[in-house]
Amino acid sequence: MLDVVIVGGGPNGLMLGCELALAGVRPVVLERLTGPKTEARANGLVGQVVRMLDRRGLYARLSGADGPPRPAPRFMFGAFTLEFGDLEDNPVSLLMAPQERIEKVLGERAVELGVDLRRGQEVTDLHQDGDHIRVVLASGETLRARYVVGADGGRSMVRRLSGIEFPGMTNDDFVTRSANVSVADEHLGPDGDLLVPGYGSLPPLLYVRTERGTIVWALLPGRVPALTTTETGTAGEHTAPMTFEEMLASAERVLGVPVPIRPPRGEGPHLLRRLVGGNTRLAERYRDGRVLLLGDAAHVHSAIGGPGLNLGLQDAVNLGWKLAAAVRGRAPEHLLDTYDEERRPVAERVMASTLAQSALMRPGPEVTALRTVFGELLAAPGGTERIAHLLAGTTEAFAPDLVVHTDAGTHRLAELTTTARPLLLDLSGDFTEAAEPWHDRVDVVRGKAEGTDAAGLLLRPDCHVAWTGHRPDDVNGLRAALTKWFGAPLA
């Protein structure tokens, strides 16, 4: 019998596979497609997830850069450009990498760790039966597993087969058009702006709102430029396949002047897509017995601000160590239930953020008035910082980026967490002995740290602080936290 079957081999499913493998569980990942997707999707990652990937040693592989992630000087919220230069603690980190590269790197890492990735495998049925689940494939083959995780997207077959409802809302009164384009050199500014005669410049990767809609100019190194517009409209108005002329007309309506774009060069495949409306939905629960949901299978929302992979990949990191503990018989009672308890509120917050941004970007004079008021709130003390943490997906108790000095040398916290094991930082020498009965599950590092005044920190594998000690007599709290999260001590 298999321990865990993950249905869906996209970034979220692959990340969960890596986390399980690091914890000593070898999962099977079933992917319906025979090869990676090629169409354009996400352009990168934003927020806390970038720091989390750094703590698994994946940031350098994805970015090609040396050193830790650096905070972004600015970002956007609802077509407002936010400047972060004055923030004492800027939580918004960016990792500009197309989703196909993210998927490729995570796939390579999963194979390195021994994850069994099986492509061309479609799940058609599930049956929970006591201590296992039977997974039926389109080929007729049946697999038996202790747990099944649905990471198979917004139309998740796993979610439907498990009977988990997916309530929410559908907006069908707007149309989004996207296309790869080419632009003559005279229409490109020195910073990658698109220079539009009669209007001005469109900065790259920032939403621009007008009274008629929004437009985004996407210019990324190594990728074909793209343009995206959003206008009001309904599905009934658009039945024929989209054309490049339709893209041109939409851009001109939004800006009020012709936009100097041409069809893309080369053979492609090239992006030319029209989407009508969008969904905002949240699974009524993330777990049904031995079935769990992950990523878009658990929540769908607008892509405004790029929160999708931020949310899904951190779902995977939260679930991975808890599911591994359950598989290995080390999970304290109700540990798996904390996955739903901790991650659903984060999804609710993201959904509120994307809905609010969509409202702020709609055309019309009443929205313009709303933007005036909202802009004043942003300019108030603490306004930009609060929105920055909302964009970053900051979760309570996520450990800061510490520098730890030990007898073996100086290390960034990210260098101490690549194994995905629980970690006790004994910064006073008072707590190592108390953690000895958990030495088979918890690593201990002794030293001094920059960035905290604590005498000891216990970190969960997802880099959230489970306990903070300040005095030697805090050992009782340490033992309680060790037991709560990692099970009973050795005899």
Side-chain angles (χ1 to χ4, degrees):
M1 182 166 63
L2 302 171
D3 287 327
V4 179
V5 168
I6 302 169
V7 182
N12 297 324
L14 291 170
M15 188 71 187
L16 178 61
C18 292
E19 292 294 296
L20 288 168
L22 285 168
V25 174
R26 186 171 182 263
V28 171
V29 178
L30 304 177
E31 170 54 47
R32 179 177 56 85
L33 300 178
T34 57
K37 293 181 179 179
T38 57
E39 70 269 20
R41 290 173 289 165
N43 293 316
L45 299 168
V46 55
Q48 185 172 288
V49 70
V50 179
R51 297 163 67 191
M52 190 63 239
L53 290 172
D54 183 40
R55 294 178 184 184
R56 290 294 187 263
L58 291 167
Y59 174 76
R61 293 177 66 161
L62 285 165
S63 67
D66 296 327
R70 291 178 173 81
R74 64 187 59 84
F75 203 64
M76 57 190 175
F77 183 90
F80 284 88
T81 300
L82 307 181
E83 298 290 342
F84 299 144
D86 293 335
L87 295 186
E88 184 176 342
D89 179 21
N90 178 3
V92 181
S93 299
L94 295 180
L95 196 168
M96 301 310 297
Q99 185 165 332
E100 54 265 34
R101 172 164 173 75
I102 296 170
E103 192 168 314
K104 179 175 183 293
V105 169
L106 290 177
E108 292 170 349
R109 180 58 173 156
V111 172
E112 290 171 8
L113 293 170
V115 174
D116 186 355
L117 175 58
R118 305 179 187 179
R119 293 193 176 275
Q121 303 291 317
E122 184 175 1
V123 172
T124 59
D125 208 353
L126 296 175
H127 300 280
Q128 295 206 47
D129 187 9
D131 63 350
H132 71 277
I133 303 178
R134 288 187 293 119
V135 183
V136 182
L137 305 181
S139 63
E141 181 183 1
T142 298
L143 305 176
R144 293 173 68 244
R146 297 181 63 186
Y147 292 93
V148 170
V149 180
D152 49 343
R155 298 178 179 177
S156 170
M157 176 64 74
V158 172
R159 187 188 63 240
R160 293 202 296 270
L161 291 172
S162 65
I164 297 176
E165 297 295 327
F166 203 39
M169 58 180 291
T170 298
N171 289 332
D172 56 5
D173 62 346
F174 64 91
V175 180
T176 300
R177 299 175 177 86
S178 301
N180 285 131
V181 303
S182 63
V183 178
D185 290 343
E186 63 264 27
H187 295 300
L188 284 177
D191 296 323
D193 294 16
L194 176 61
L195 306 178
V196 181
Y199 174 82
S201 65
L202 293 178
L205 301 177
L206 295 177
Y207 284 92
V208 172
R209 176 193 174 271
T210 73
E211 289 288 352
R212 297 166 295 278
T214 60
I215 189 167
V216 184
W217 162 242
L219 183 64
L220 292 166
R223 305 197 71 183
V224 180
L227 197 71
T228 296
T229 62
T230 300
E231 302 176 87
T232 56
T234 63
E237 301 171 11
H238 307 284
T239 56
M242 182 175 162
T243 64
F244 194 81
E245 289 70 26
E246 182 180 331
M247 183 77 250
L248 280 169
S250 176
E252 182 171 351
R253 285 194 299 270
V254 171
L255 287 186
V257 296
V259 180
I261 56 174
R262 303 170 182 169
R265 304 184 185 96
E267 296 183 0
H270 294 303
L271 175 66
L272 186 63
R273 181 176 63 202
R274 180 203 305 125
L275 298 175
V276 180
N279 290 299
T280 302
R281 299 186 178 277
L282 178 64
E284 63 176 355
R285 61 189 186 279
Y286 282 14
R287 182 186 180 190
D288 179 67
R290 293 182 174 272
V291 176
L292 298 111
L293 301 180
L294 172 68
D296 287 355
H299 41 69
V300 295
H301 45 78
S302 168
I304 294 173
L309 282 179
N310 185 349
L311 187 58
L313 291 175
Q314 290 195 94
D315 286 347
V317 175
N318 184 287
L319 176 60
W321 66 277
K322 297 173 181 178
L323 185 54
V327 167
R328 301 179 71 185
R330 293 179 171 175
E333 190 176 3
H334 306 308
L335 179 65
L336 264 184
D337 293 332
T338 66
Y339 169 58
D340 182 292
E341 293 167 3
E342 293 179 352
R343 295 306 297 170
R344 284 186 88 256
V346 180
E348 290 170 348
R349 190 68 172 155
V350 168
M351 293 164 66
S353 170
T354 57
L355 287 171
Q357 292 186 71
S358 296
L360 286 166
M361 293 166 62
R362 282 184 170 270
E366 71 280 10
V367 178
T368 301
L370 173 64
R371 291 176 63 83
T372 299
V373 175
F374 187 80
E376 293 172 354
L377 295 174
L378 276 179
T384 297
E385 183 177 11
R386 186 163 185 171
I387 296 297
H389 283 285
L390 182 62
L391 288 166
T394 303
T395 53
E396 187 177 358
F398 189 72
D401 292 323
L402 305 175
V403 175
V404 183
H405 304 280
T406 72
D407 291 341
T410 298
H411 307 277
R412 292 194 302 120
L413 179 62
E415 297 167 5
L416 303 174
T417 58
T418 56
T419 60
R421 283 173 56 85
L423 176 65
L424 172 64
L425 295 177
D426 186 352
L427 307 177
S428 63
D430 296 322
F431 305 110
T432 299
E433 184 178 351
E436 177 60 25
W438 289 267
H439 70 85
D440 61 324
R441 280 154 282 172
V442 179
D443 292 339
V444 178
V445 172
R446 298 180 63 174
K448 302 295 182 182
E450 299 175 23
T452 179
D453 58 359
L457 292 170
L458 177 65
L459 272 59
R460 306 185 326 187
D462 56 8
C463 291
H464 285 70
V465 177
W467 165 87
T468 302
H470 295 283
R471 302 180 306 277
D473 59 359
D474 286 337
V475 291
N476 290 332
L478 172 60
R479 293 190 186 101
L482 288 164
T483 303
K484 173 182 177 180
W485 294 110
F486 311 122
L490 297 173

